[in-house]
Amino acid sequence: MPSNCTRREWLQSASVLGGACLAGAAFTPAFAALAPASPVSVAKCLTYDPKELLPVMARMFDQLGGVGKLVKGKTVAIKFNLTGSPQTRLGNLPLSETHFTHPAVIAAAVNLMAKAGAARIRLLESPWATTEPIEEFLLQANLEPRDILGAAPNVEFENTNYLGKAKRYSRLTIPTGGYIYPGFDLNHSYAECDVFISIAKLKEHATAGYTGAMKNCFGMAPVTIYGSDAGVDEPALTPRGGRDPFHYGKRQPSKSAPQEKDRNSPRAETYRVPRIVVDLVSARPIHLSIVEGIKSMTGGEGPWVSGGAPCKPGVIVAGWNPVCTDAVAMALMNFDPMGGRGSPPFEDCDSTLKLAEDVGIGTRDLKRIEVVGTPIHDAVFDYAKIRAARRTSLWQRIFGGKD
């Protein structure tokens, strides 16, 4: 059944754990053992043709128990991923076939949510350093926003990288106290919704090892508050620059927003980014996660990462719990979701999945997760093998083949 709790219910369910954390207790394996498990659907899908894609996603939602109880009569917010510049490509390929969430997947989800009774659907993303509408950003990337807007009635986009259509930012606090931040000031759309959905691309990540449903939420934070050129006392009026402060902690957010809990904590991005992702997901819980890997790329999250190459995993993953969904997605890449720092793809960083499990968001243990639809072993695309070969080649180029 869907984990369709409201934010208030999430806060209540986390009260015991949150009280311990706020009191200064360390996260323990006991907390991880209490992390919930829920079913995850896996399906093979080779093209973005709606004639194939729409029935596949409809079947996946049915396998999860249906989305009607989750969305009927509700305002649904969908965070998708448009990382980087609309002009930055991997070779000559469309951005949606390498590192952007593909519009066809978004449109299919919108269509199915509307058929299940969603009253209003808001499509959210924070395009790079601009106040322009998301529709304009998509057009610059040679993508057609009407393909998404026409999938259902009452569909709208909002650029969440700044204040947007609201008069003030919405403050979302973290029931467990947070790793790096106790809460965030975000665009109103993340608070003014009944259901929150993350639709991500199946990829590796240069800093966080893996990017999926949870890492997609890194882009919720407006750079007017959390960016390198954010306002000092109050948020900047327009977004400029990236989220370098999240990566390196060289400055604090605008003083109007919650500040870091411990300014003496490590400044390394491989420590900070996974924890901030978990903080964001704790502040804005995800009700449904979709990770699409029909076409993607290996080597990192975008064309700016050296060694990236296009690939065709031909798979989609969906689940109620973001940790469970990301765990299955990692397994489909032939990575071990139970691995921590030092194991692929977390050779140099902490595992976002472990950190999320430790605060009780969900389990990453495949033994506790029911996989419905296509079995994992029938749908694996071996990112791990490609990654190992790439890292070996890099090592040999640097050290001439010597150990």
Side-chain angles (χ1 to χ4, degrees):
M1 293 297 292
S3 178
N4 55 341
C5 63
T6 65
R7 177 171 163 76
R8 178 176 295 178
E9 291 167 341
W10 158 245
L11 291 169
Q12 291 173 343
S13 69
S15 60
V16 175
L17 175 59
C21 297
L22 290 169
F27 300 131
T28 70
F31 292 151
L34 296 174
S38 65
V40 175
S41 176
V42 174
K44 290 184 177 181
C45 188
L46 301 181
T47 75
Y48 292 107
D49 184 338
K51 293 180 181 179
E52 179 185 10
L53 178 61
L54 197 59
V56 165
M57 291 184 62
R59 184 168 61 252
M60 294 177 76
F61 291 165
D62 288 344
Q63 289 169 341
L64 292 173
V67 295
K69 292 182 180 180
L70 182 68
V71 305
K72 188 174 183 180
K74 304 291 182 63
T75 294
V76 177
I78 298 177
K79 168 68 174 70
F80 58 105
N81 188 243
L82 301 175
T83 185
S85 162
Q87 286 80 37
T88 305
R89 297 177 181 274
L90 185 61
N92 295 316
L93 292 170
L95 285 74
S96 56
E97 293 187 4
T98 56
H99 60 291
F100 278 13
T101 307
H102 200 286
V105 176
I106 303 169
V110 165
N111 180 268
L112 293 168
M113 297 297 160
K115 286 181 178 178
R120 181 185 187 189
I121 300 174
R122 305 172 99 170
L123 301 165
L124 313 178
E125 174 57 317
S126 303
W128 175 260
T130 182
T131 59
E132 67 187 11
I134 292 177
E135 294 94 321
E136 179 62 30
F137 192 88
L138 287 168
L139 289 169
Q140 291 177 24
N142 290 326
L143 301 171
E144 179 51 73
R146 288 178 295 184
D147 292 343
I148 301 172
L149 293 171
N154 301 319
V155 180
E156 62 191 75
F157 287 102
E158 179 149 10
N159 180 341
T160 59
N161 215 8
Y162 72 118
L163 187 59
K165 301 173 183 177
K167 294 182 179 179
R168 66 184 65 183
Y169 290 93
S170 295
R171 179 159 299 177
L172 300 181
T173 56
I174 300 170
T176 56
Y179 282 109
I180 305 295
Y181 295 98
F184 299 93
D185 285 356
L186 304 178
N187 178 281
H188 71 105
S189 296
Y190 294 110
E192 296 172 4
C193 63
D194 304 303
V195 177
F196 182 57
I197 298 171
S198 174
I199 306 183
K201 196 77 160 179
L202 184 72
K203 296 180 293 186
E204 297 162 273
H205 194 276
T207 301
Y210 160 80
T211 179
M214 289 191 288
K215 177 62 178 63
N216 181 37
C217 293
F218 195 75
M220 294 194 304
V223 298
T224 50
I225 297 174
Y226 300 98
S228 51
D229 292 320
V232 176
D233 295 316
E234 298 290 334
L237 295 178
T238 59
R240 297 187 301 273
R243 297 181 184 85
D244 288 354
F246 269 7
H247 283 260
Y248 308 111
K250 292 182 178 180
R251 62 158 290 179
Q252 291 297 302
S254 303
K255 293 179 181 178
S256 58
Q259 305 294 291
E260 284 191 42
K261 296 174 61 178
D262 180 7
R263 299 189 188 187
N264 293 317
S265 63
R267 302 289 96 178
E269 62 175 341
T270 52
Y271 174 92
R272 289 174 59 82
V273 169
R275 286 167 172 78
I276 292 172
V277 168
V278 174
D279 284 350
L280 284 160
V281 174
S282 297
R284 171 59 277 176
I286 302 170
H287 297 98
L288 174 64
S289 298
I290 301 170
V291 182
E292 71 101 343
I294 296 173
K295 294 182 181 179
S296 186
M297 63 176 289
T298 62
E301 69 276 15
W304 50 88
V305 181
S306 178
C311 64
K312 298 179 181 180
V315 69
I316 306 178
V317 190
W320 305 121
N321 185 286
V323 186
C324 299
T325 305
D326 278 343
V328 172
M330 278 191 63
L332 289 164
M333 302 167 81
N334 203 24
F335 293 126
D336 179 8
M338 292 298 288
R341 181 183 277 264
S343 64
F346 307 118
E347 294 94 342
D348 306 307
C349 63
D350 292 317
S351 165
T352 303
L353 278 70
K354 181 182 185 304
L355 293 166
E357 182 183 63
D358 285 349
V359 296
I361 295 176
T363 184
R364 60 191 170 125
D365 187 351
L366 295 176
K367 295 176 182 178
R368 296 183 55 207
I369 301 170
E370 179 188 3
V371 177
V372 295
T374 304
I376 290 175
H377 59 76
D378 288 340
V380 169
F381 182 86
D382 206 339
Y383 278 80
K385 182 178 180 180
I386 298 170
R387 183 181 183 90
R390 186 177 62 249
R391 290 174 68 90
T392 298
S393 176
L394 177 62
W395 181 273
Q396 290 174 342
R397 289 200 305 271
I398 294 174
F399 298 103
K402 297 178 181 180
D403 292 336

